[in-house]
Amino acid sequence: MERKEISQAVISRLPRYYRYLGELRDDGVERISSQELSKKMQVTASQIRQDLNHFGGFGQQGYGYNVEYLYVEIAKILGLDQEHNLIVIGAGNLGQALLNYSNFSRRGFIFKGIFDHNPKLQGTKIGELEVRPMEEMSAFITKNNIDIAVLTIPKTGAVKVAEKLVECNIRAIWNFAHVDLHVPEWVQVENVHLSDSLMKLSYNSSRYQDIKNAK
Ligand code: NAI
């Protein structure tokens, strides 16, 4: 399939399509129209058609989308047709929680190692993995073909660790530290801030109350 530049807005909607299609596929559904998908996902049918048209439009007029085909193609677009090797840096509450969440490996995100600078944690086990010292990180990345690093450390240390990761030729950083990382363009950073989501929820909730009270 031809790869075109796709807007980040569309990319950010793809995982949701992927999830819904996965559920439909598990339920044995073979075909679905954009209208039906629209009802299920609460997105307009035209939005769905527009989004999927970026990839050549998998549907046929009056025939709907082939669920399995679309599911597999979106997986390819999201890079889920291949496994990704991950390391976690920061073996605290968040690092451990991510490591213990088994659904990531079902999607092909395989945690290979976990690192922490606290000597008391080094050598302890989280699931199958032993917490390693930071000094071992560079060699480990190269040896295990690591492509994604997960940063679950406080912001104070995050910039330095990110610089080290760049030196190790890491391709992507899943950043939970509350700091913006400045990295070369060949390193992709995805920032995750749960509190941002919570603040958005807070805004929407108070906005709804305002509208309700004004009626
Ligand atoms: P935690 O204190 O339980 O764990 C942090 C771990 O990182 C500790 O084991 C510590 O030894 C290690 N660490 C600190 N600096 C390091 C460095 N330079 N190199 C290697 N290891 C280092 O904290 P928790 O709850 O796991 O949170 C981790 C960080 O993630 C916090 O800074 C917190 O602000 C942030 N966080 C972000 C969230 C988000 O949505 N983005 C949600 C929750 C926490």
Side-chain angles (χ1 to χ4, degrees), residues 18-19 23 34 49 62 69 78 97 101 106 143 166 174 176 193:
Y18 182 73
R19 252 189 306 119
E23 283 169 18
S34 45
R49 281 194 296 268
Y69 178 77
L78 291 173
Y101 181 55
R106 279 187 42 222
K143 188 167 173 227
V166 170
W174 200 23
F176 287 82
H193 299 304

Side-chain angles (χ1 to χ4, degrees), residues 89-95 115-118 121 134 152-155 157-158 161 175-178 192-195:
I89 297 138
N93 295 309
L94 187 56
F115 296 81
D116 201 289
H117 72 178
N118 181 351
L121 287 175
M134 292 301 287
T152 51
I153 57 175
K155 67 177 177 183
V161 172
N175 178 35
F176 287 82
H178 296 300
V192 185
H193 299 304
L194 298 180
S195 47

Side-chain angles (χ1 to χ4, degrees), residues 25 43 61 65 101 143 173 179 197:
R25 175 184 180 247
V43 182
Q61 200 74 38
Y65 295 105
Y101 181 55
K143 188 167 173 227
I173 300 175
V179 63
S197 171

Side-chain angles (χ1 to χ4, degrees), residues 158-175:
V159 170
K160 273 236 145 54
V161 172
E163 280 168 7
K164 187 88 202 149
L165 289 167
V166 170
E167 279 171 31
C168 299
N169 290 321
I170 202 85
R171 282 171 36 203
I173 300 175
W174 200 23
N175 178 35

